[in-house]
Amino acid sequence: MLATGNLLKGLNDHQKTAVSLGWGPSLIVAGAGSGKTTVLTRRVAYLMTELHQSPDSILAVTFTNKAAEEMKHRLQKLVGGHARHILIGTFHSFCARALREEIENYKSPEGYTWKHNFVIYDETDKQSVVKNVVNRLNLDEKVFSPREMCHRISSLKNDGYMPARYANEARNYKETRVAEIFSAYQSDLAKNNALDFDDLILTLVELLRQNLAVRRRFRERFQHVLVDEFQDTNQSQYELIRLIVEASDEEKQANPASIWHERSLLVVGDVDQSIYSWRKADFRIILGFQSDFKESKIVKLEDNYRSTSTILEVANSIIQNNTERIEKVLRSSRGAGTKVKCFEAQDEIDEAYFVQEELKRLSARGRQLSNCVILYRTNAQSRAMEEVLVRSHQPYTVVGGTRFYERQEIKDVLGYLKLIFNGADGQAFMRVINTPRRGLGKTTLERLVSFAFDRDLTLLDAAKEIGAKQGVSEKSQKALRDFANMVKRRQAESAQTPISEILSGILKETGYLDKLKEDAAQGLDELASGRIENVMELHNVAKEFESMSDKPDLEAFLTRIALVSDIDQAKMDEDCVKLMTIHSAKGLEFPVVFILGLEEGLFPHMRSLDSPNAMEEERRLMYVAVTRAADLLYLTYARKRAAFGWATGFSNFTIPSRFLKEISPQHMTGFYPSPETPSNDQKEDYDPWDESTWAQKKKQPSPTPSAQRPADYARSSKPQVKPRAFRQQTPPQQTSSRIEPKPKEESIPFEKLSVGDKVQHVKFGIGEVTQIIGDKDKELYNVDFKTEGKRLMDPRFAKLVKLT
DNA sequence: AATGCGGTACTTTTT
DNA sequence: GTACCGCATT
């Protein structure tokens, strides 16, 4: 273990103060890159070594699994094996863990109870339950779409509402129905012995509220609570923290003076990095912290050790455009470094080729590719990038995205495990009862469901008891009974069988693997061989879990899988470039950062365009993205983007993101849109291949690109004017295309519109212009159509007729 | 009961 | 444009 000297070594005065705080509540306002994680980890070590607190009295909560891993890792280095006893995790994993032990002490106001072997329902499970409920209540799925209902229920829960409470507050027809759906949904979850993500937090909150004994136990155990990314806390999470940390009334009366004796709360956050308001995170919580905890101390960390001053100034110039923020200075401790490189691509493939070429160059210059990250706003954007990386044999890791555990075959196999773990899980039952086929059809299953519902049985028990009386054929009865018996048998032996063995047992006995092999052999399903690999991979994951975990049972395994989306951490360390959304990158740092898709409607996202608050959140997201970079920052956008045109027939031409225009030109190099000059003028002399043209307006002949874009890659069948794209093999001859006249369609004059104008569209009918995006000749109109909702229209292509 | 076709809805962001 | 869902067909 380290001595104090070492714990405070290399820290600045503010950081030292933060690490060596005494008892009581404290708030650390930590700007991006200010050494927040260092402070947090050293603080934990300080608590142990200097303040002599036991490691298991410490609870550290982070927002993402990655942040938790990082913290564990660093603490391991600081305090060695003792780190194992410190509870570090996300809110959700902490709550899941706690509920495994305590949930049987809980009874909801509605009278629902859960058992310790509850399962955690994901988005799909949730929606399917909601859908069932909506149908059962004879409500129209169109009016009460499962998607929207899930969202509403989630919002309510994050605000701390349970069905009974909401029922009292529902005012109009719709709210009343939502309350009914909410209530039935919650009842179904209880019947299935299942909780959703939001319940994990809320149930523990309610439990701590209603059960003083349990609350006392928690308070005695967790004397030191640390919360990272506090600006992203929502009401129910904050409530949870308060319940653990604040004295109960009885304690206040008993000994008011010693409430904070050998007890501490440390919250760390940065309002400028609040990017989860859609999950009901509320940065006003961090702003109100000092008034909620009157005795709290505050430490500000304003020295940035991560980024070059250029990158910092870029970040600052962007975030300055937000009105809802507290002025804060971030002092740079590094030199100016390199200017930010900006690139205009023809389309998303071109954009990807540019990135790939830069990676190659950086790698040739000795940059570790593991030090590079490619960030984007939406997961869908990874696809183009991946295609190009695969083609150039460039190893990469996608973090998050289409998750391994969401694949059909994985969900199937996990369905068996879940059913074995929790026989009440109706979702799991329905998923696996006929996979692989057992000759059971829709009618049989419908009868089974209603039989189970009437007799208040689990589907599994109903499968054993259902008979001819319910109109089920002899053959179906046998299939159901056999299935139920198999599950029961495996349940009985599950406690003393390793997960990997249960898994291979299922794969064999059910014939699931044989079915896949058969499909693969017959070539019926070209995905089948991949599926086999995935199933095998899951087996490996189970094996690994058995050797790593100190409690390798089904419970721990399934909990982990429900809460940790990344398949393994190991891939993070390999020397390959990483791809992730900006949200996932939060809290991480990389020497080299690429930010893709800086286009209006993509980033900032379309759905933020008509709300100032949402727009400010997008800007904070951009701020987070930029401040991930330590040395080099690349910003790219594409002139057109295929993914943009899915919903409509209109053109995919894009407008550069407003965030690019918020950056002072002096910090940028390459081609970028500037607020002053119309963007078209800048293009002609730009050659992305020549480094010297990173500076604007400098004419150079272009060398042959090394990126060999495969000939078969041509994607657009539409013969557009082909401007010299990054990925093209074509050397200088075609250079001129950049300055060729614009495509004809672009020059068709169109009628200028303003906000409030009524317009007519061939396909969508009458609508009203609610917003104008962009300027000069590059305008987009956000049009609200009565029937179709809001759409982003490009007047150059969409035929909009102004109505008077 | 299983398959295949056609229609619809879909893309924020994560635990 | 595609992926999924529901329906109708065999």
Side-chain angles (χ1 to χ4, degrees):
Chain A
M1 219 180 271
L2 290 177
T4 334
N6 285 340
L7 273 183
L8 298 179
K9 199 173 149 193
L11 299 182
N12 67 32
D13 289 347
H14 301 288
Q15 291 173 324
K16 280 179 190 161
T17 311
V19 168
S20 53
L21 283 162
W23 313 129
S26 323
L27 166 66
I28 297 188
V29 179
S34 59
K36 181 186 59 148
T37 313
T38 306
V39 166
L40 269 175
T41 49
R42 298 218 190 175
R43 169 64 181 172
V44 171
Y46 186 90
L47 280 169
M48 288 162 60
T49 57
E50 291 306 306
L51 302 177
H52 310 293
Q53 302 299 301
S54 148
D56 53 29
S57 70
I58 301 170
L59 168 66
V61 194
T62 63
F63 235 74
T64 63
N65 293 303
K66 272 193 292 299
E69 285 302 319
E70 172 75 16
M71 206 158 150
K72 274 182 207 162
H73 189 71
R74 291 223 216 162
L75 266 165
Q76 185 84 36
K77 283 189 191 159
L78 277 180
V79 298
H82 299 281
R84 293 184 45 156
H85 300 282
I86 310 164
L87 201 41
I88 303 172
T90 60
F91 270 105
H92 297 270
S93 66
F94 165 68
C95 291
R97 232 181 127 131
L99 287 173
R100 290 280 177 217
E101 284 168 26
E102 305 286 356
I103 200 164
E104 294 186 15
N105 292 317
Y106 174 70
K107 187 170 189 181
S108 82
E110 300 82 12
Y112 309 136
T113 55
W114 282 261
K115 298 226 306 264
H116 75 278
N117 60 330
F118 60 86
V119 286
I120 301 165
Y121 273 4
D122 65 15
E123 220 55 37
T124 321
D125 295 325
K126 250 166 92 170
Q127 272 199 40
S128 139
V129 172
V130 167
K131 200 173 158 177
N132 267 325
V133 165
V134 170
N135 289 325
R136 202 165 69 221
L137 296 175
N138 280 322
L139 295 168
D140 186 355
E141 267 191 53
K142 295 264 153 39
V143 186
F144 299 91
S145 84
R147 226 184 130 66
E148 195 207 326
M149 291 306 111
C150 278
H151 186 244
R152 281 178 89 134
I153 290 171
S154 178
S155 289
L156 286 168
K157 285 182 177 175
N158 284 323
D159 280 340
Y161 282 87
M162 278 303 211
R165 195 174 143 210
Y166 182 62
N168 291 330
E169 291 185 25
R171 288 289 161 261
N172 52 40
Y173 171 81
K174 186 151 189 186
E175 282 176 13
T176 314
R177 297 290 90 75
V178 170
E180 285 166 15
I181 295 169
F182 188 4
S183 164
Y185 167 76
Q186 206 60 22
S187 141
D188 274 15
L189 285 191
K191 272 189 198 157
N192 287 299
N193 194 22
L195 296 175
D196 65 24
F197 277 118
D198 310 310
D199 287 331
L200 292 175
I201 316 244
L202 198 47
T203 307
L204 188 57
V205 165
E206 299 259 305
L207 172 59
L208 292 178
R209 262 199 208 128
Q210 69 178 222
N211 192 324
L212 282 177
V214 175
R215 187 173 168 200
R216 197 179 304 124
R217 214 156 47 232
F218 270 67
R219 286 181 43 70
E220 275 162 18
R221 159 101 204 254
F222 303 109
Q223 309 216 62
H224 305 285
V225 178
L226 301 94
V227 188
D228 196 7
E229 309 284 10
F230 193 67
Q231 75 282 353
D232 282 324
T233 311
N234 65 33
Q235 283 305 332
S236 68
Q237 290 161 339
Y238 187 43
E239 185 64 25
L240 176 68
I241 297 298
R242 294 185 77 152
L243 282 164
I244 298 175
V245 142
E246 288 190 315
S248 61
D249 292 341
E250 48 169 356
E251 277 176 296
K252 276 183 194 155
Q253 278 177 359
N255 198 351
S258 68
I259 285 166
W260 287 98
H261 178 65
E262 303 226 349
R263 181 177 292 282
S264 70
L265 168 66
L266 186 76
V267 304
V268 184
D270 175 9
V271 177
D272 284 337
Q273 294 185 67
S274 150
I275 55 174
Y276 280 99
S277 72
W278 49 275
R279 228 170 71 182
K280 288 277 161 166
D282 186 350
F283 61 71
R284 283 168 303 183
I285 292 175
I286 192 173
L287 298 182
F289 185 81
Q290 287 181 89
S291 59
D292 286 346
F293 292 88
K294 294 272 185 323
E295 60 278 70
S296 67
K297 299 175 200 104
I298 178 166
V299 181
K300 289 185 186 171
L301 305 179
E302 297 176 319
D303 293 293
N304 178 295
Y305 296 97
R306 177 187 297 157
S307 314
T308 64
S309 64
T310 303
I311 290 169
L312 267 194
E313 278 170 45
V314 166
N316 283 332
S317 64
I318 292 166
I319 200 69
Q320 261 168 26
N321 293 284
N322 270 5
T323 55
E324 210 172 36
R325 70 184 287 262
I326 308 157
E327 274 304 323
K328 154 170 103 251
V329 223
L330 259 189
R331 288 181 294 266
S332 168
S333 59
R334 296 188 50 187
T338 322
K339 285 188 177 188
V340 172
K341 289 181 181 174
C342 189
F343 178 72
E344 181 192 66
Q346 292 309 307
D347 53 40
E348 70 275 15
I349 300 288
D350 193 31
E351 183 181 51
Y353 266 95
F354 166 75
V355 173
Q356 195 268 324
E357 276 304 309
E358 283 298 312
L359 285 174
K360 226 155 136 188
R361 262 190 24 168
L362 291 167
S363 158
R365 288 185 187 175
R367 282 269 176 200
Q368 294 270 302
L369 287 178
S370 54
N371 286 338
C372 305
V373 71
I374 301 168
L375 302 179
Y376 35 78
R377 176 66 238 266
T378 66
N379 282 307
Q381 284 171 261
S382 76
R383 209 175 123 184
M385 194 66 236
E386 286 185 74
E387 281 178 29
V388 169
L389 290 174
V390 166
R391 271 160 196 281
S392 34
H393 308 288
Q394 178 70 256
Y396 65 92
T397 319
V398 182
V399 178
T402 316
R403 301 196 210 350
F404 179 74
Y405 301 114
E406 276 168 27
R407 288 161 203 261
Q408 191 198 107
E409 62 277 15
I410 299 303
K411 290 202 79 172
D412 288 344
V413 179
L414 286 176
Y416 278 102
L417 290 183
K418 280 165 119 180
L419 191 58
I420 289 166
F421 174 63
N422 167 29
D425 188 344
Q427 290 300 313
F429 181 94
M430 290 309 273
R431 173 168 269 277
V432 298
I433 181 65
N434 213 19
T435 33
R437 305 259 107 101
R438 290 188 178 84
L440 293 161
K442 208 178 148 207
T443 33
T444 308
L445 292 180
E446 262 167 16
R447 278 176 190 145
L448 180 74
V449 168
S450 71
F451 175 70
F453 192 84
D454 293 343
R455 306 259 305 252
D456 202 22
L457 291 170
T458 66
L459 290 175
L460 198 59
D461 289 333
K464 280 211 314 204
E465 291 183 27
I466 200 163
K469 250 191 219 159
Q470 286 76 36
V472 175
S473 75
E474 201 60 50
K475 208 177 103 229
S476 299
Q477 281 179 49
K478 185 171 186 309
L480 287 171
R481 260 198 318 271
D482 286 351
F483 176 80
N485 286 332
M486 178 200 72
V487 175
K488 295 261 167 184
R489 180 161 38 79
R490 298 216 169 262
Q491 274 176 347
E493 64 186 35
S494 68
Q496 56 279 348
T497 316
I499 307 158
S500 60
E501 273 177 42
I502 303 177
L503 205 73
S504 42
I506 293 165
L507 288 173
K508 217 166 166 190
E509 188 178 0
T510 62
Y512 190 87
L513 200 57
D514 288 340
K515 176 74 169 58
L516 281 182
K517 280 180 181 160
E518 199 181 300
D519 288 354
Q522 292 181 6
L524 288 172
D525 187 349
E526 68 272 22
L527 270 50
S529 55
R531 296 222 157 105
I532 296 172
E533 271 175 44
N534 287 333
V535 170
M536 289 337 240
E537 180 62 24
L538 182 65
H539 190 263
N540 288 342
V541 170
K543 272 261 180 219
E544 202 182 311
F545 185 80
E546 282 161 21
S547 63
M548 302 275 290
S549 170
D550 38 312
K551 193 172 143 275
D553 55 7
L554 259 186
E555 175 180 297
F557 186 64
L558 291 174
T559 307
R560 190 189 157 80
I561 283 177
L563 299 176
V564 181
S565 48
D566 294 330
I567 178 157
D568 62 349
Q569 203 65 32
K571 276 196 171 174
M572 276 301 269
D573 304 328
E574 278 170 34
D575 187 32
C576 58
V577 57
K578 276 151 216 91
L579 280 70
M580 61 183 95
T581 62
I582 300 163
H583 283 89
S584 318
K586 181 172 189 196
L588 306 177
E589 78 170 67
F590 298 88
V592 182
V593 171
F594 292 86
I595 305 174
L596 271 47
L598 281 155
E599 297 142 37
E600 287 293 303
L602 185 60
F603 191 22
H605 196 271
M606 249 177 159
R607 296 172 75 133
S608 325
L609 256 32
D610 48 10
S611 147
N613 285 337
M615 183 54 70
E616 298 218 335
E617 178 147 317
E618 292 289 300
R619 194 171 279 111
R620 290 193 295 269
L621 192 59
M622 180 65 183
Y623 178 78
V624 168
V626 169
T627 53
R628 295 313 93 200
D631 305 337
L632 295 178
L633 177 63
Y634 290 87
L635 306 173
T636 70
Y637 63 99
R639 291 186 71 216
K640 63 187 169 71
R641 185 174 292 275
F644 210 66
W646 53 270
T648 58
F650 78 83
S651 145
N652 329 324
F653 277 89
T654 62
I655 292 172
S657 171
R658 67 191 68 192
F659 302 147
L660 284 172
K661 300 184 183 179
E662 290 168 5
I663 302 171
S664 150
Q666 71 188 76
H667 294 129
M668 289 199 286
T669 168
F671 176 73
Y672 54 87
S674 83
E676 293 84 32
T677 350
S679 46
N680 275 336
D681 296 346
Q682 300 177 349
K683 288 180 194 171
E684 43 191 310
D685 299 327
Y686 174 63
D687 177 17
W689 291 106
D690 193 319
E691 272 228 270
S692 57
T693 55
W694 278 114
Q696 282 182 79
K697 305 218 178 191
K698 211 173 167 187
K699 209 165 204 161
Q700 290 285 333
S702 57
T704 309
S706 54
Q708 297 297 307
R709 183 194 182 194
D712 65 334
Y713 210 84
R715 179 185 261 204
S716 64
S717 48
K718 231 180 169 180
Q720 287 271 341
V721 175
K722 258 302 194 220
R724 185 164 46 86
F726 197 87
R727 63 177 179 278
Q728 285 181 327
Q729 304 173 33
T730 23
Q733 299 92 288
Q734 280 194 8
T735 313
S736 58
S737 57
R738 274 236 189 225
I739 50 172
E740 266 174 23
K742 293 177 198 169
K744 206 176 167 190
E745 45 194 23
E746 277 186 64
S747 49
I748 293 173
F750 51 87
E751 200 171 5
K752 281 270 174 195
L753 299 171
S754 25
V755 172
D757 282 351
K758 297 266 187 297
V759 291
Q760 169 100 45
H761 183 271
V762 221
K763 201 166 153 195
F764 304 125
I766 294 170
E768 186 184 330
V769 179
T770 56
Q771 194 190 17
I772 299 175
I773 300 141
D775 50 19
K776 305 246 167 82
D777 57 347
K778 277 204 167 183
E779 281 184 342
L780 279 190
Y781 296 114
N782 199 356
V783 185
D784 194 355
F785 291 102
K786 301 273 131 30
T787 46
E788 309 281 333
K790 280 189 180 156
R791 272 162 202 280
L792 203 56
M793 315 292 289
D794 189 324
R796 289 170 301 177
F797 309 100
K799 290 186 189 71
L800 289 173
V801 182
K802 189 173 166 183
L803 301 174
T804 39

